[in-house]
Structures are given as structure tokens and as C-alpha cells.
């Protein structure tokens, strides 16, 4: 039996920390996989904020949620057509410091009509904000893709950012497969 993929490991760590009724964030909705996972994890009493800059990503996410076999088991989801760097402004201040988990799946939208990729400038701003929004014990997961154009720069920037987070603020971990240099990496932070 092999190790979990970076995506599965991210979900495993989130599932260990997010509970029914929690507030969570999918910072990069994409095709909705993490949004659906988070909505199931926090259940009908919870709340998911899902951000994306592409309307087609949010439409795909909405279709995925609508196709769920047991919709009554899902939380409400607020789909936000905006960059993840705006989450501090979009999420009401009374929810700041109460977020259980924030998931980032960087790179680009598979199958998208336009070749948009996430950028280090907005990603780092979003990571700073997400860390502030987390509650004590909350988790932030970031899957980076060094194998596509612009991906290595962003992966390096996120890794450097995580390394600079003070240990009294959060514990950081890097989960990757070193035999495949261009494979996705998972960076996760557990807020103290």
C-alpha cells in the first residue's frame, strides 16, 4: 500500500480538524472537489465559503454540489466570484478567528477556456489572511504544482512563506514525493 496523494492527505488532515457546524474556506473552488468535501465535512449546520476568479469554475462547483446524491447532508455554500486574496473582506468580521479550515489547490482550472494560473502575489496575500482567519487548532492546506509554467515559482514562494511563519503562530509541514521533482506538494499549517 502506498502513501496518500497530496490531495487525499490534505483532506485527511482537514477532516481531523473540521467538525459538523464549522465554518471553512475553499480558497480556489476550481471544479468543486474540495468545496464538496468541505460541505460534507461540516454538514448542514456548517458553512463553506468558496472563492474563484472564474465564473466557469463556480458554475462547475455549483453543478457538482447539485449532483450530490444526499444534498441534505451538505452545508450551505457561499460561492464568491473574487480572488482568494479578498477573503478577509468577504467573510464577515464576526467569523474572523472562527474558521476551522482553509484549503488552497493552486495552479489552473483543468479544462478551462482561458489559461489563468494562480500568482504568488495574490496567493501570499491570501495565505496571510487565511492564517489570521483561522481559529486556534485550525488548519490551512496548500497544494502547489511545480510542474506547470509559473508553478515552480509559486511553489517556492509558498514554501518560503510557510517556513517564515513563526512557530508560536503555527506549525508547518511539507508533504511531497521527492522522487518526482515536478509532482504536486502539500504545505499545511496548524494554527496554535
Amino acid at each position: 500500500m502506498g502513501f496518500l496523494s497530496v490531495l487525499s492527505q490534505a483532506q485527511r488532515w482537514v477532516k481531523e480538524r473540521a467538525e459538523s457546524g464549522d465554518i471553512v474556506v475553499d480558497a480556489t473552488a476550481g471544479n468543486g472537489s474540495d468545496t464538496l468535501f468541505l460541505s460534507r465535512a461540516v454538514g448542514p449546520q456548517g458553512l463553506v465559503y468558496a472563492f474563484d476568479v472564474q465564473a466557469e469554475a463556480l458554475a462547475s462547483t455549483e453543478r457538482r454540489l447539485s449532483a450530490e446524491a444526499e444534498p441534505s447532508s451538505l452545508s450551505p455554500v457561499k460561492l464568491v466570484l473574487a480572488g482568494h486574496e479578498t477573503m478577509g473582506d468577504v467573510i464577515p468580521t464576526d467569523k474572523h478567528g472562527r474558521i476551522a479550515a482553509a484549503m488552497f489547490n493552486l495552479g489552473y482550472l483543468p479544462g478551462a477556456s482561458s489559461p489563468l494560473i494562480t500568482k504568488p502575489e495574490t496567493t501570499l496575500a491570501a495565505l496571510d489572511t487565511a492564517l489570521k482567519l483561522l481559529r486556534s487548532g485550525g488548519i490551512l492546506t496548500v497544494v502547489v504544482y511545480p510542474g506547470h509554467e509559473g508553478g515552480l515559482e509559486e511553489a517556492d514562494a509558498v514554501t518560503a512563506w510557510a517556513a517564515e511563519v513563526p512557530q508560536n503562530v503555527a506549525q508547518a509541514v511539507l508533504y511531497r514525493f521527492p522522487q518526482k521533482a515536478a509532482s504536486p506538494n502539500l504545505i499545511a499549517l496548524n494554527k496554535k
Side-chain angles (χ1 to χ4, degrees), residues 124 127-128 131 140 142 154-174 186-190:
L124 296 178
L127 292 172
D128 283 336
L131 189 56
L140 188 157
V142 189
E154 187 170 47
D156 288 346
V158 172
T159 302
W161 172 86
E164 292 173 7
V165 171
Q167 291 182 25
N168 65 336
V169 173
Q171 179 184 33
V173 66
L174 173 63
L186 167 62
I187 297 126
L189 286 88
N190 191 43

Side-chain angles (χ1 to χ4, degrees), residues 32-189:
S33 295
D34 286 337
T35 304
L36 179 59
F37 160 76
L38 288 167
S39 186
R40 285 178 180 150
V42 300
Q45 302 306 312
L47 177 61
V48 177
Y49 287 90
F51 291 81
D52 210 291
V53 295
Q54 296 180 85
E56 68 184 296
L58 295 181
S60 179
T61 297
E62 192 166 35
R63 283 192 299 276
R64 185 173 292 246
L65 293 168
S66 296
E68 175 62 15
E70 295 182 41
S72 63
S73 68
L74 300 180
S75 74
V77 175
K78 293 192 181 280
L79 298 173
V80 182
L81 181 60
H84 47 212
E85 71 277 10
T86 67
M87 73 176 75
D89 297 325
V90 171
I91 297 172
T93 56
D94 67 325
K95 293 177 176 43
H96 291 197
R98 295 180 47 210
I99 306 298
M103 298 183 79
F104 290 72
N105 191 350
L106 302 176
Y108 57 90
L109 178 64
S113 59
S114 61
L116 292 177
I117 63 170
T118 54
K119 303 281 187 179
E121 312 80 58
T122 53
T123 295
L124 296 178
L127 292 172
D128 283 336
T129 301
L131 189 56
K132 290 174 188 166
L133 293 175
L134 287 179
R135 68 180 182 207
S136 178
I139 188 166
L140 188 157
T141 64
V142 189
V143 176
V144 296
Y145 296 85
H148 71 83
E149 189 172 334
L152 181 59
E153 176 189 1
E154 187 170 47
D156 288 346
V158 172
T159 302
W161 172 86
E164 292 173 7
V165 171
Q167 291 182 25
N168 65 336
V169 173
Q171 179 184 33
V173 66
L174 173 63
Y175 180 83
R176 69 183 187 95
F177 296 87
Q179 294 136 322
K180 299 178 182 176
S183 68
N185 301 314
L186 167 62
I187 297 126
L189 286 88

